[in-house]
Amino acid sequence: MIPVKSKKYDFDITVSPNTYAGELALPYVTAAILGAETINKGRARLIEGVVHKAVINALDYDGGLLQGSACDFTDGASMTLSEQVVTLSDLMVNEAICRGTIFPTFMAAAGRMRRDGQIPPDFAQFLLAATAEQAGKSLESLMWTGASPFGVGLLSNDGVIDEAGIDASAMAGFAEADTGTTAWSASNILDVLDLIFAKAADTPGILGKPGCGFYISYEAYAFFQQAIAAKGTEGNYNKDLKEVTYLGYPVYATSGIPNTVDVGVFTYPDNIVVGTNAYTGNEAANLIPAYQYDGSDNVKVTMNFAVGVNVAVAADGVVGFDFT
């Protein structure tokens, strides 16, 4: 059945060939990047306008900065300048979307906006926005696992989070907390977090960093919720999932960490750095009305942008994993 157009709004599903480059592409490319949960929830530091690479410098003090007064100048050699490099990987989106399949979704979205008193978006913008949303979810996984076509990820460089992957990841310099061979569950998740936190205490400087907390998978997060509820200390089953803490530190459910791997990270948002080429003019989004040329009902959507990750301070964190 052919959908009937609204007499009031006259929805149009005609898509003209169009290229959004530079600033015109920003609403869609930025949406794809911010669709990654770790970024959009403020659990990482985002650096925009990066061309290929960005260098992050950090000053480290050994605690002996002050000296006794003297006439001569004596270098205390108390400060060390370190640097980390964020290298971008070029990414692209190539999707063929059937107009007939997505049009009902577009109508529903426009209907919601109409009830809110907003003007419905045109169909072309909706296609780009919907594609960008899904691209963001994929980016979240790539950032943590380093799967192809991404470069080095936060917890691996080849898409597999294992000891070899962690040792080659952006977090390779983090302290290692061996959580043992037993699979994580509601009965042992608090012991696991205790092991990770104990290792973090060996680097006490990070404990006072804003937002410092545990990054774990959604499965591990569910185990944590069950364990806390069983303790009867966190409002039992009515605790707001957005505000859960352990030992005074936030526990971040992270969709980029696979449920199939028992791994956790303790660090702070400013230490996780995500670089992108947004605002450089090198990003682009394209709409290709394939239905006009090949007899299909498809619109092809492409996007081009670049993203990379690293940590600002190589040793400021802990990775909990079975390192035995």
Side-chain angles (χ1 to χ4, degrees):
M1 179 178 178
I2 299 176
V4 178
K5 293 183 179 180
S6 165
K7 293 181 180 179
K8 184 176 181 181
Y9 287 100
D10 190 23
F11 293 101
D12 187 4
I13 61 172
T14 299
V15 178
S16 301
N18 210 339
T19 296
Y20 302 85
E23 291 185 3
L24 294 177
L26 280 175
Y28 311 110
V29 171
T30 301
I33 295 169
L34 295 182
E37 181 183 45
T38 300
I39 299 174
N40 68 39
K41 291 188 175 179
R43 297 170 184 172
R45 188 198 328 175
L46 180 63
I47 302 177
E48 297 173 311
V50 177
V51 179
H52 188 50
K53 291 184 179 182
V55 177
I56 307 163
N57 292 316
L59 279 175
D60 181 53
Y61 300 88
D62 66 6
L65 190 61
L66 297 179
Q67 305 179 42
S69 179
C71 293
D72 295 330
F73 178 87
T74 303
D75 185 1
S78 300
M79 295 189 297
T80 303
L81 179 66
S82 62
E83 71 174 35
Q84 294 284 90
V85 178
V86 177
T87 302
L88 304 191
S89 296
D90 291 325
L91 302 174
M92 69 186 303
V93 174
N94 281 349
E95 284 295 320
I97 302 172
C98 177
R99 291 186 303 166
T101 300
I102 200 170
F103 185 66
T105 304
F106 165 64
M107 290 292 289
R112 287 197 299 273
M113 296 182 72
R114 191 163 63 244
R115 287 193 297 274
D116 293 338
Q118 302 294 321
I119 298 174
D122 69 58
F123 189 58
Q125 291 178 344
F126 178 81
L127 283 176
L128 284 168
T131 304
E133 180 182 2
Q134 296 305 313
K137 295 177 181 178
S138 296
L139 178 60
E140 169 74 9
S141 176
L142 295 179
M143 284 168 44
W144 284 91
T145 65
S148 179
F150 205 73
V152 175
L154 294 170
L155 282 174
S156 184
N157 69 331
D158 61 2
V160 179
I161 299 178
D162 53 16
E163 186 167 359
I166 293 171
D167 289 343
S169 72
M171 295 179 170
F174 281 14
E176 296 181 352
D178 188 354
T179 59
T181 59
T182 303
W184 296 8
S185 66
S187 62
N188 67 6
I189 189 65
L190 298 185
D191 293 333
V192 168
L193 297 184
D194 286 340
L195 285 170
I196 295 173
F197 186 78
K199 222 31 170 170
D202 293 341
T203 312
I206 70 174
L207 299 180
K209 298 289 186 179
C212 193
F214 301 89
Y215 293 74
I216 57 178
S217 70
Y218 269 83
E219 181 183 66
Y221 188 78
F223 292 152
F224 173 74
Q225 284 292 101
Q226 290 175 304
I228 290 298
K231 293 282 187 182
T233 58
E234 294 287 344
N236 293 326
Y237 298 99
N238 298 316
K239 181 66 179 179
D240 185 347
L241 297 183
K242 298 178 182 177
E243 301 177 355
V244 175
T245 63
Y246 186 61
L247 302 174
Y249 292 89
V251 179
Y252 301 126
T254 306
S255 59
I257 299 178
N259 288 331
T260 55
V261 182
D262 289 338
V263 62
V265 172
F266 188 86
T267 190
Y268 50 95
D270 244 14
N271 198 36
I272 299 176
V273 182
V274 183
T276 83
N277 70 338
Y279 297 97
T280 64
N282 296 322
E283 64 278 27
N286 299 279
L287 283 175
I288 305 169
Y291 65 88
Q292 293 181 358
Y293 314 113
D294 62 9
S296 70
D297 197 24
N298 293 331
V299 176
K300 294 183 178 180
V301 181
T302 71
M303 294 182 184
N304 298 85
F305 54 92
V307 180
V309 298
N310 206 339
V311 295
V313 182
D316 272 10
V318 178
V319 175
F321 184 72
D322 173 17
F323 288 106
T324 54

